Amino acid sequence: MQNLPRLTPGLKRFFASESSGGIVLAVAAIAALIFSNSAWAPLYTAFTQIPGEVNIGEGRLVLAKPLIVWVNDLWMAVFFFLVGLEIKREFVSGELAQRSQAVLPAVAALGGMAVPALIYAAFNWQDSVGLHGWAIPAATDIAFAIGIVMLLGARVPTSLKIFLTAVAIMDDLGAIVVIALFYTSQLSLAMLAAAAVCLLVLLALNRSGVQRADLYIVVGLVMWLCVLKSGVHATLAGVATALFVPSAGREGRSPAEKLEHGLHPWVSFLILPMFAFANAGVSLRGLSVSDLLHPVSMGIALGLLIGKAVGVFGTSWLMIRLGWASKPGGADWVQFFGVCVLCGIGFTMSLFIGGLAFEGLSADYETRVKLGVIGGSLLSGIAGTLILLRRRSAS
């Protein structure tokens, strides 16, 4: 009998947090849509524009931003910090520690980024501005996707839950690389040099065996400020900081494990829902068929719904057929395909990349991004769920 994978205690905590967090995330997104399409729409807009200011040294350093910018630049840096901790854990001691375990989700994630990007590019090839959003449908929202598979319970084998998690983590890593390479504004070499100094300090702390997590966080905050002023998106500082936090502890749990465990509830139940509420609001008043069929909207929606399924499943099937990887144990091809379809739920990361791609441009692009992301993610979630439910009932 084939040995089936079992969830480690860390993965059990992870799944428990992501499943309930996915529900809260969905509620926040629905609330944003309701508010932005009701008589409360002005209050919703005013809420996202609440001013916030940090003044250090009597005006020497002033950061004055509206709430939505603080959420997208600072709060999401905490989210990316957690993503960095998860990536490091999986590569050091988790499901991706061995090459044989990492190869299938790694190639699947690559295919799941490439095919949606190609579909989007095909729709927007004649529009140089629209083409800048090619990476929007390349992302997977781990909270939503894991939330659905956990709600489906035994209908999704444990091996596929682990596969989906690994693909989403690899996907996040790919998204981080894409943001760093393609979605940065004009660069300040002085600020980048200061950020590099912060990286060296983090490296020195790590090599010296420093176990105090607060020291890494303080240096990380300084680096976040430097990266914010450099032109590179500030959230990348969160990932960079996480990679230097020690994953081995002298007594009990490591600093990385403690931070990951402590941050999960805050990210799942506050940061991501707030991001969803602040960014998912799109007014449906006055929308026409042409808005829904715009190349940006269609490219995103079909990239998520079709591109993700084809990219993740197609590359996985090829790897398995060639004997370069093994199919997740206890799962048949229909269940496998259903989980691949769920990878098309790109909500949080897709909205985030969309905001970077069309930053400072017409509000029409923001509306098209939201329509495509919400539509494609919703259809992917429904389609993947129906496939998994139908497979269970057929068996």
Side-chain angles (χ1 to χ4, degrees), residues 111-120 123 133-141 144 171 296-313 337-351 353 368-381 383-384:
M113 295 185 72
V115 177
L118 290 173
I119 290 177
Y120 180 91
F123 275 90
W134 62 270
I136 297 172
T140 296
D141 190 305
F144 263 136
D171 194 290
V296 170
S297 302
M298 290 296 292
I300 295 171
L302 294 181
L304 290 171
L305 178 62
I306 298 175
K308 274 291 185 180
V310 172
V312 175
F313 182 80
F337 180 70
V339 166
C340 292
V341 173
L342 291 179
C343 290
I345 304 174
F347 189 75
T348 302
M349 289 298 292
S350 292
L351 286 175
I353 295 175
R368 292 160 188 163
V369 167
K370 291 180 179 180
L371 286 173
V373 171
I374 294 173
S377 298
L378 182 61
L379 291 173
S380 296

Side-chain angles (χ1 to χ4, degrees), residues 160-224:
L160 286 183
K161 295 173 183 175
I162 294 174
F163 171 79
L164 177 60
T165 303
V167 169
I169 288 174
M170 293 282 197
D171 194 290
D172 283 344
L173 181 59
I176 290 164
V177 174
V178 167
I179 291 170
L181 295 179
F182 299 102
Y183 294 110
T184 57
S185 55
Q186 294 181 349
L187 300 180
S188 167
L189 295 181
M191 287 295 99
L192 283 177
V197 171
C198 293
L199 281 176
L200 292 176
V201 173
L202 289 171
L203 177 61
L205 290 173
N206 182 280
R207 291 296 178 88
S208 300
V210 175
Q211 296 283 302
R212 288 185 56 182
D214 56 342
L215 293 179
Y216 293 91
I217 292 174
V218 169
V219 177
L221 284 171
V222 175
M223 181 166 63
W224 173 83

Side-chain angles (χ1 to χ4, degrees), residues 15-16 21 24 26 110 129 138 151 154 183 267 302 316 338:
F15 284 141
V24 176
L110 185 61
V129 177
L151 289 174
Y183 294 110
V267 170
L302 294 181
S316 298

Side-chain angles (χ1 to χ4, degrees), residues 89-169:
R89 168 173 54 80
E90 290 301 315
F91 276 102
V92 172
S93 60
E95 292 297 321
L96 306 178
Q98 298 180 14
R99 182 181 177 185
S100 59
Q101 295 174 310
V103 63
L104 182 62
V107 175
L110 185 61
M113 295 185 72
V115 177
L118 290 173
I119 290 177
Y120 180 91
F123 275 90
N124 293 273
W125 194 254
Q126 302 299 323
D127 180 5
S128 60
V129 177
L131 191 60
H132 197 54
W134 62 270
I136 297 172
T140 296
D141 190 305
I142 191 169
F144 263 136
I146 294 299
I148 289 177
V149 297
M150 293 307 293
L151 289 174
L152 290 172
R155 294 178 177 87
V156 183
T158 298
S159 61
L160 286 183
K161 295 173 183 175
I162 294 174
F163 171 79
L164 177 60
T165 303
V167 169
I169 288 174

Side-chain angles (χ1 to χ4, degrees), residues 72-73 179 183-184 227-228 231-237 352 356 359:
N72 291 350
D73 283 3
I179 291 170
Y183 294 110
T184 57
V227 175
L228 177 69
V232 178
H233 202 271
T235 52
L236 298 177
F352 185 74
L356 298 179
E359 187 175 11

Side-chain angles (χ1 to χ4, degrees), residues 45 84 185 226 260-261 304-305 321 324 389:
T45 302
S185 55
C226 295
E260 186 178 346
H261 181 71
L304 290 171
L305 178 62
R321 287 300 186 189
W324 296 347
L389 287 173

